[in-house]
Amino acid sequence: AQSVAQPEDQVNVAEGNPLTVKCTYSVSGNPYLFWYVQYPNRGLQFLLKYITGDNLVKGSYGFEAEFNKSQTSFHLKKPSALVSDSALYFCAGGSGNTPLVFGKGTRLSVIA
Amino acid sequence: DSGVTQTPKHLITATGQRVTLRCSPRSGDLSVYWYQQSLDQGLQFLIQYYNGEERAKGNILERFSAQQFPDLHSELNLSSLELGDSALYFCASSARDGNYYEQYFGPGTRLTVT
């Protein structure tokens, strides 16, 4: 069965510091990987995706993610965190025609 | 604003009742997905429709059903409701059929079963 894991329920980072939100996947075949962000009382918003090609993917709001096939990881990164980045982040993955599987989410808290 | 609309925003009902949740996808999107988000289960895929036809099924209970209409809006019907059905229900849409297309999520319907 396909799965996506986000090993950290909560990540705390100081404003201006780099942030990393971790994601690992177990997907058969070539994976499709996504990051979504959810703000309070809102639906999920698409941030970025990896389908094929360059392992470093750039997305919205200065976020980027690196696809690492050997480590089966797709960590989300940002060089300098903002307080407004505080939200719930979801990693999702799939392959072929199987529906996407979402991780449990990581709550990011950026402290001023 | 994602362009996906969901009604109602909130729904409070009693056990054993039946409710219908409605979703209008982004203009031009042919695929509609339904998800259930609860604190203990995270985001669970329920079902997908593409251009009126069911394309994929996830962990959807037999008490739940969905359909997509010719105008592409979709409805999720939940019947014989139980306390455990209380959750946020999201609808998402994407341009085409295929999991490599990003999905755009609506604001959700919060269902409370008492």
Side-chain angles (χ1 to χ4, degrees):
Chain A
Q2 308 202 114
S3 65
V4 169
Q6 294 180 242
E8 300 156 318
D9 290 336
Q10 174 96 26
V11 169
N12 298 318
V13 63
E15 187 176 32
N17 281 3
L19 70 86
T20 298
V21 183
K22 295 180 181 176
C23 172
T24 59
Y25 65 90
S26 175
V27 167
S28 57
N30 294 320
Y32 311 138
L33 296 162
F34 297 78
W35 276 102
Y36 287 85
V37 59
Q38 185 179 26
Y39 296 100
N41 302 313
R42 303 282 294 273
L44 280 68
Q45 292 178 36
F46 168 75
L47 275 180
L48 51 80
K49 69 179 180 183
Y50 170 84
I51 303 299
T52 186
D54 196 349
N55 288 345
L56 184 63
V57 179
K58 293 189 184 295
S60 307
Y61 313 118
F63 284 95
E64 58 188 31
E66 185 164 12
F67 171 68
N68 188 316
K69 189 171 183 177
S70 62
Q71 297 187 7
T72 61
S73 67
F74 189 58
H75 301 333
L76 181 69
K77 300 185 180 192
K78 187 174 182 181
S80 178
L82 300 173
V83 172
S84 57
D85 293 330
S86 298
L88 189 57
Y89 290 79
F90 289 94
C91 182
S95 66
N97 289 325
T98 58
L100 285 182
V101 175
F102 283 76
K104 296 277 190 189
T106 298
R107 189 163 299 280
L108 173 68
S109 181
V110 181
I111 304 151
Chain B
D1 184 5
S2 67
V4 178
T5 60
Q6 289 186 250
T7 56
K9 286 193 81 165
H10 302 276
L11 202 47
I12 301 174
T13 189
T15 54
Q17 295 299 304
R18 172 189 166 97
V19 297
T20 297
L21 312 184
R22 183 187 168 104
C23 167
S24 292
R26 285 191 326 159
S27 177
D29 282 0
L30 299 176
S31 269
V32 169
Y33 306 78
W34 285 99
Y35 293 90
Q36 180 191 58
Q37 185 180 36
S38 58
L39 281 174
D40 55 343
Q41 292 290 324
L43 198 68
Q44 299 287 316
F45 167 72
L46 295 177
I47 197 164
Q48 179 208 352
Y49 280 84
Y50 174 73
N51 205 18
E53 292 190 8
E54 182 184 305
R55 295 294 285 175
K57 237 175 179 176
N59 298 322
I60 188 166
L61 300 171
E62 285 192 15
R63 301 183 285 108
F64 296 1
S65 65
Q67 55 184 323
Q68 186 180 28
F69 294 87
D71 67 352
L72 301 177
H73 91 272
S74 178
E75 293 181 356
L76 179 67
N77 300 296
L78 315 176
S79 61
S80 303
L81 284 167
E82 302 175 358
L83 295 178
D85 297 327
S86 296
L88 256 177
Y89 291 85
F90 286 109
C91 164
S93 72
S94 67
R96 297 284 185 268
D97 184 25
N99 289 317
Y100 37 84
Y101 291 99
E102 54 267 35
Q103 296 177 26
Y104 293 87
F105 284 74
T109 293
R110 183 172 295 280
L111 173 66
T112 303
V113 182
T114 62

